[in-house]
Amino acid sequence: MMSFENSPQMLEIKAGLREMFFAILDTVTGAFKAFYEYLKEAPIPAPPTMMKLFSNNKANLILFTVFVAYIIFINVRAYVVFAADKRYAQRNQERVPEKTLFKYMWVGGAAGSGLSMLMNRHKTQHANFVATAAVLVVIQLILFSFILGYLGFWTFF
């Protein structure tokens, strides 16, 4: 008796899917090759270190100060919330919801929450917290450096 998996209809479907997969693979490979060739010939843009949002230095300085203050505040707050959650866990008190902990990571406090996770040994066994914190730290460092460069960070020194 022939099994369903080896029936002529299934073998035909498998062959069609295989052909479709290889066609998609060829298309994607071609697109990546074309993009690579484009990047090889594209001019390298100048870094945005001397760009300014406003021509007024005072306005840029105020925006810069507000942005840096926000980054410091949200990271300190994230550190404190993670440390408080660890303390609540040790005392068997009502915990801070994980949703709130993730919010602090996503709104700019990934460095503070990651530091608190390492210092207090809290949530380090949860892969989703560790991975999210690590990825967001890298993304936020890149994003913050671009924003600070756009605000004319180097022109204040």
Side-chain angles (χ1 to χ4, degrees):
M1 180 172 187
M2 185 182 295
S3 71
F4 177 72
E5 293 175 4
N6 292 328
S7 66
Q9 293 87 4
M10 282 305 293
L11 293 176
E12 187 177 324
I13 290 172
K14 286 179 182 179
L17 288 174
R18 189 176 302 115
E19 285 179 33
M20 185 173 64
F21 173 76
F22 284 121
I24 292 171
L25 184 65
D26 288 342
T27 304
V28 170
T29 304
F32 275 115
K33 285 180 182 176
F35 184 64
Y36 175 73
E37 292 300 322
Y38 168 76
L39 286 179
K40 283 190 345 188
E41 296 180 13
I44 298 173
T49 55
M50 296 307 287
M51 288 174 42
K52 290 186 177 182
L53 187 60
F54 299 113
S55 59
N56 184 348
N57 263 352
K58 191 168 187 172
N60 274 337
L61 184 59
I62 291 170
L63 279 175
F64 172 78
T65 306
V66 168
F67 186 73
V68 169
Y70 172 77
I71 292 171
I72 292 170
F73 170 77
I74 198 69
N75 279 291
V76 168
R77 181 75 177 144
Y79 184 91
V80 169
V81 169
F82 268 79
D85 188 47
K86 173 67 174 189
R87 196 170 45 252
Y88 295 155
Q90 290 171 337
R91 297 177 183 170
N92 291 327
Q93 293 176 334
E94 187 176 343
R95 306 278 302 275
V96 177
E98 287 187 355
K99 185 177 179 181
T100 303
L101 298 176
F102 276 117
K103 273 186 201 175
Y104 278 105
M105 280 196 266
W106 279 98
V107 296
S113 59
L115 184 64
S116 182
M117 286 168 53
L118 292 175
M119 299 278 292
N120 298 313
R121 295 184 186 171
H122 186 55
K123 299 287 187 188
T124 55
Q125 298 297 318
H126 298 268
N128 56 347
F129 274 95
V130 174
T132 303
V135 168
L136 284 178
V137 164
V138 172
I139 290 172
Q140 288 174 7
L141 282 175
I142 293 169
L143 180 67
F144 293 163
S145 66
F146 178 76
I147 291 171
L148 291 174
Y150 191 71
L151 291 174
F153 175 71
W154 299 113
T155 61
F156 297 126
F157 299 103

